[in-house]
Amino acid sequence: MDTRRPLRTLALALGTAGLLISGCTSGSSTTSASAPAPAATASPVPAALKTFYAQHLSWRDCGVTGFQCTTMKAPLDYAKPDGGEIKLAVSRKKATGPGKRIGSLLVNPGGPGGSAIGYLQGYAAIGYPAQVRARYDMVAIDPRGVARSEPVTCLTGPQMDAYTQVDQTPDDAGEVTALSGAFKKFATGCEQRSGEILPHVSTVETARDMDILRALLDDDRLNYVGASYGTFLGATYAELFPVRAGRLVLDGAMDPSLPSVEMNRDQTAGFETAFQSFAGDCVKKADCPLGTTSTSEAANRLKQLFADLDAKPIATGDPRKLGESLATTGVIAAMYDETAWPQLREALTAAEKGDGSGLLSLADSYYEREPNGSYANLMYANAAVNCVDLPPAFTTSKAVTEALPTFEKASPVFGKGFAWASLNCAYWPVRATGTPHRITAEGAAPIVVVGTTRDPATPYKWAKSLAGQLSSGTLLTYQGDGHTAYGRGSDCIDTAINTYLLEGTPPGDGKKCS
């Protein structure tokens, strides 16, 4: 099986990007309205949580060959464990052998909002290296509010179609009002359809759920591979339960010390870096739709295309036309994986000729829109987790306007749209319970942090920062393009991570691969 991940599969998830209309991801959640976590030692489970830690998992056939599924219960509110439960979906594929079973390996693809079970069944449990799958039960739990675990819902399909087409680079007061109104309508929809769960989808609570699952799997320590936002989830687990943290791989790392505005601006620069890499490759080709002279020419031509589409959307073969917002999303989607660059060149060439179908297809893959017009809950869960994990980057349109120059400096191509996207949590109906902070996870076993030098969604400097924060962190670097590194074609990266997972020996801090 080709272990290079296809564009926008659940393997790639969302990075830290619920970008554009959906807003950028959160980075950190340290405190919560919920009760403190159990002590990060081997001490007994608090009495109020014993029922959850002692429950029995009834495994059943999933309907997918080789996989079992079950449902786990957790407190809806850890501050009131007897005040209601939430049911969380879990799946596994047992170790295949040969070799002695090491334990369970929990995986999460990121988002927030990506289905871990979808990732497990569609990629990890069949595409991870055979020697890893031989020694571990491959396990996933859909986080609370995501996919199979009481999913957050916010809008109907037609409403979401309208939401994704709202002008995200407003040019006047009327367009600012329209964009703010779209954010408000989205938030109101989430409150109306998912109000009970919205206060309880924080990363801290999901990490606590993972510890219950660890115990129910009869593992003394949690072994884990998390990509993108999954790195923040893994780091949060290590912070709450350092002695229970086993072999943790954090691939495409986030920096939990950053406030929302800095995270969003860094990510803006990350996508600019990825675009420059794409443009540099494109202009060397005779069929490049953005010119053949320089990356600056390519940037100018893309900006002009966006401006033209803002003024006059083009046909797509679908009732929806391609305007600037959907076109930008389509380009962003292709930045996650360099294997999508040929598809992007074709889509841009077609758009310049008046056919927007290619860019619309890319945008639909990003938003997880089905051909029947329905949407997965990815974008709803993404906003719900982001907005409870950190205070909003901006609370007023004036604040966005004042910050625009710094975002446009970070990315002349994408900066304006990313800045305005950062306003989405301003209207959220639930108070944020997290704050940015450093995660040290004192007492944890060695943790491998992986960074890709031209990663668009989780800039490389975030991996360097997280590895430096963690008391037992070690940095593994992939010098290349794309989002995340494990299983994407580098034997050097894969060997280092496989050795760590199988033998417990981390790569030397600062090891570089290409």
Side-chain angles (χ1 to χ4, degrees):
M1 173 176 181
D2 184 0
T3 57
R4 293 188 65 82
R5 306 171 190 171
L7 171 68
R8 288 294 302 133
T9 62
L10 289 170
L12 288 180
L14 217 63
T16 62
L19 292 168
L20 310 173
I21 274 293
S22 295
C24 293
T25 192
S26 71
S28 167
S29 179
T30 177
T31 58
S32 171
S34 303
T41 67
S43 60
V45 173
L49 297 178
K50 282 186 176 180
T51 300
F52 298 100
Y53 276 82
Q55 66 188 286
H56 174 72
L57 296 181
S58 298
W59 294 97
R60 63 188 184 280
D61 181 74
C62 287
V64 180
T65 302
F67 291 89
Q68 296 176 308
C69 290
T70 191
T71 300
M72 183 192 95
K73 294 179 180 178
L76 174 64
D77 184 350
Y78 276 88
K80 301 175 182 177
D82 58 352
E85 299 175 343
I86 186 170
K87 295 180 180 180
L88 306 174
V90 181
S91 183
R92 74 178 177 187
K93 189 173 189 293
K94 301 195 79 171
T96 58
K100 183 179 179 181
R101 176 184 175 276
I102 295 172
S104 305
L105 182 64
L106 199 66
V107 296
N108 183 281
S115 170
I117 292 177
Y119 174 58
L120 177 80
Q121 296 179 355
Y123 173 71
I126 56 177
Y128 270 30
Q131 61 267 44
V132 173
R133 294 181 281 118
R135 305 281 304 281
Y136 282 99
D137 291 345
M138 301 293 293
V139 181
I141 178 172
D142 274 351
R144 49 178 62 209
V146 173
R148 298 164 179 83
S149 293
E150 303 196 16
V152 172
T153 59
C154 301
L155 302 175
T156 66
Q159 287 173 332
M160 188 65 179
D161 279 347
Y163 182 69
T164 61
Q165 295 177 74
V166 174
D167 191 340
Q168 60 199 3
T169 56
D171 300 314
D172 54 42
E175 291 184 348
V176 170
T177 298
L179 180 58
S180 298
F183 288 144
K184 292 175 183 176
K185 184 174 182 178
F186 186 98
T188 298
C190 295
E191 183 177 31
Q192 291 174 343
R193 293 173 172 85
S194 304
E196 183 180 15
I197 195 176
L198 282 188
H200 304 295
V201 294
S202 72
T203 299
V204 165
E205 289 161 307
T206 294
R208 290 172 177 163
D209 297 339
M210 286 166 49
D211 194 61
I212 294 176
L213 179 58
R214 171 204 58 78
L216 300 181
L217 295 171
D218 200 28
D219 289 329
D220 291 333
R221 294 192 176 200
L222 180 84
N223 301 309
Y224 175 84
V225 177
S228 198
Y229 161 81
T231 67
F232 176 52
L233 179 56
T236 299
Y237 181 89
E239 179 181 38
L240 294 172
F241 310 103
V243 175
R244 299 175 192 167
R247 300 171 188 178
L248 270 57
V249 177
L250 310 181
D251 183 12
M254 292 176 59
D255 182 352
S257 71
L258 296 177
S260 293
V261 65
E262 289 188 33
M263 181 162 288
N264 292 1
R265 192 159 40 223
D266 279 355
Q267 194 176 60
T268 303
F271 276 93
E272 179 67 21
T273 296
F275 173 73
Q276 289 295 322
S277 189
F278 162 74
D281 177 75
C282 185
V283 298
K284 296 174 184 177
K285 296 174 168 56
D287 65 345
C288 179
L290 301 179
T292 57
T293 60
S294 66
T295 58
S296 59
E297 180 195 13
N300 288 335
R301 288 185 62 165
L302 182 60
K303 288 171 65 178
Q304 186 60 55
L305 175 63
F306 288 160
D308 292 344
L309 294 172
D310 188 28
K312 186 178 180 180
I314 59 177
T316 62
D318 183 278
R320 295 167 297 156
K321 289 190 174 183
L322 184 81
E324 179 187 15
S325 294
L326 286 172
T328 303
T329 304
V331 173
I332 287 295
M335 293 297 100
Y336 281 82
D337 189 342
E338 67 274 21
T339 62
W341 290 356
Q343 182 181 354
L344 177 58
R345 289 198 305 272
E346 291 178 6
L348 289 170
T349 298
E352 288 195 336
K353 297 177 180 178
D355 176 6
S357 60
L359 286 175
L360 180 64
S361 178
L362 285 166
D364 283 350
S365 72
Y366 183 91
Y367 285 126
E368 293 198 353
R369 184 187 190 273
E370 299 296 331
N372 65 5
S374 65
Y375 287 78
N377 98 303
L378 173 64
M379 288 295 170
Y380 309 139
N382 182 264
V385 176
N386 290 342
C387 295
V388 78
D389 266 357
L390 274 186
F394 302 115
T395 57
T396 66
S397 57
K398 179 181 178 182
V400 178
T401 301
E402 291 173 347
L404 275 176
T406 63
F407 276 77
E408 292 181 311
K409 180 179 180 181
S411 175
V413 177
F414 305 116
K416 187 175 181 180
F418 278 39
W420 282 105
S422 305
L423 186 63
N424 73 318
C425 289
Y427 310 106
W428 204 245
V430 175
R431 179 182 62 86
T433 55
T435 56
H437 68 294
R438 292 172 61 84
I439 290 181
T440 61
E442 294 286 346
I447 297 173
V448 175
V449 179
V450 188
T452 297
T453 54
R454 294 186 294 278
D455 189 317
T458 51
Y460 177 62
K461 71 178 189 177
W462 290 358
K464 292 175 66 177
S465 179
L466 179 60
Q469 294 170 39
L470 291 166
S471 62
S472 59
T474 182
L475 178 64
L476 175 62
T477 298
Y478 174 58
Q479 296 172 311
D481 296 293
H483 181 42
T484 73
Y486 187 42
R488 297 192 67 245
S490 169
D491 289 339
C492 175
I493 290 289
D494 291 355
T495 298
I497 293 176
N498 294 343
T499 299
Y500 170 67
L501 291 175
L502 297 172
E503 301 175 11
T505 304
D509 188 29
K511 179 177 177 63
K512 291 181 171 61
C513 296
S514 58

